[in-house]
Amino acid sequence: MAEQTALADIRPEDDGKTDAAVVRDALGVGVAVGLSGFAFGVTSAGSGLTLLQTCALSLLVFTGASQFALVGALAAGGNPLTAAAGAFFLGVRNAFYGLRLSQLLALPRAVRPFAAQWVIDETTAVALAQPTRRATRIGFTVTGLSLYVLWNLTTLLGALGAQAIGDTGAWGLDAAGPAVFLALLAPMLRTGTERAVAGLAVLLGLGLLPVLPAGVPVLLAALAAPAVLFLEGRRKGTSGISSDHAHENDVPEEDR
């Protein structure tokens, strides 16, 4: 049943998008976002972490936003446990990505633990944008591999050259990852409901950012989807009732 559900989400294999086109798109995302590892390396070194600690975070954690949340809190003088908690909450979203990707990729059980390391914003966005299962697997694999290699390499270089690079905000490197993700997401918002969910999520995330710990606003922003769907269902239900009443008024009195 799960296999049939997953296959129903994939369009026929003759959709027309070539493997080369998928690889090109995936490499573009991997390279663009991978370069922002410089910013993490610099920020991590500036927060007081050693070169080994900085590289270990990228190798083992490999979720850019959570890594930045951790070292950012440490750089601001925060408690290590509080910083780790914020990073954890921010990384929880990857578990929800995994639920969806497990159906679309349908990887062998032996491969899944290794693939889970690459379940992040960028690989999810590229995978979901593909028309077939083959393209989804290629997009996920190429994005994950290129991004993992480049992110770790630039993390090392950024940590080594922290003093030479200076303020990462001045270079705009800290905004590279989110900017690419938004660029991938925007074309997928085709309906009014999807755009409403995205808009409400942005308002929740930005509005709660000053008053809640790092990571929590992102989780609460996920409430935008059920909230919009609930209101959409109420609106359609109300419209249906109004329509029924209108039809009743059209029936002659003697036929009621």
Side-chain angles (χ1 to χ4, degrees):
M1 178 64 69
E3 182 72 13
Q4 292 176 349
T5 302
L7 288 173
D9 293 329
I10 302 292
R11 294 197 294 272
E13 293 293 332
D14 59 352
D15 184 82
K17 190 169 186 179
T18 65
D19 292 351
V22 178
V23 171
R24 183 183 64 246
D25 294 343
L27 282 176
V29 174
V31 172
V33 180
L35 292 176
S36 63
F38 279 116
F40 172 71
V42 173
T43 305
S44 181
S47 70
L49 295 184
T50 66
L51 177 64
L52 180 60
Q53 290 171 328
T54 297
C55 292
L57 277 174
S58 283
L59 284 168
L60 302 177
V61 178
F62 188 55
T63 112
S66 297
Q67 293 177 231
F68 274 111
L70 175 64
V71 299
L74 292 176
N79 182 285
L81 293 178
T82 303
F88 170 79
F89 281 122
L90 195 57
V92 166
R93 70 193 188 282
N94 294 337
F96 296 99
Y97 295 160
L99 293 175
R100 179 58 175 157
L101 289 178
S102 65
Q103 291 184 329
L104 296 181
L105 295 173
L107 297 173
R109 290 184 180 275
V111 179
R112 292 176 188 175
F114 302 98
Q117 177 71 352
W118 290 352
V119 177
I120 55 175
D121 295 335
E122 292 77 18
T123 55
T124 301
V126 172
L128 292 179
Q130 305 312 318
T132 66
R133 171 159 291 155
R134 175 181 173 84
T136 299
R137 288 177 170 177
I138 293 174
F140 176 84
T141 302
V142 174
T143 305
L145 179 60
S146 60
L147 182 49
Y148 188 77
V149 171
L150 192 55
W151 177 270
N152 282 281
L153 177 61
T154 54
T155 292
L156 173 62
L157 296 177
L160 290 174
Q163 293 182 348
I165 295 179
D167 182 16
T168 57
W171 291 79
L173 295 176
D174 53 339
V180 172
F181 182 66
L182 289 175
L184 288 168
L185 178 64
M188 300 175 69
L189 304 177
R190 298 185 179 92
T191 67
T193 301
E194 292 171 347
R195 288 190 286 269
V197 170
L200 181 57
V202 170
L203 290 176
L204 287 173
L206 294 180
L208 297 174
L209 192 61
V211 296
L212 293 177
V216 178
V218 175
L219 295 179
L220 293 180
L223 296 176
V228 171
L229 292 176
F230 173 76
L231 294 175
E232 183 73 8
R234 288 284 300 271
R235 184 184 66 80
K236 289 182 178 179
T238 303
S239 299
I241 294 174
S242 300
S243 177
D244 291 340
H245 284 314
H247 288 306
E248 287 179 5
N249 292 331
D250 292 338
V251 178
E253 180 108 13
E254 60 273 11
D255 293 338
R256 292 184 184 174

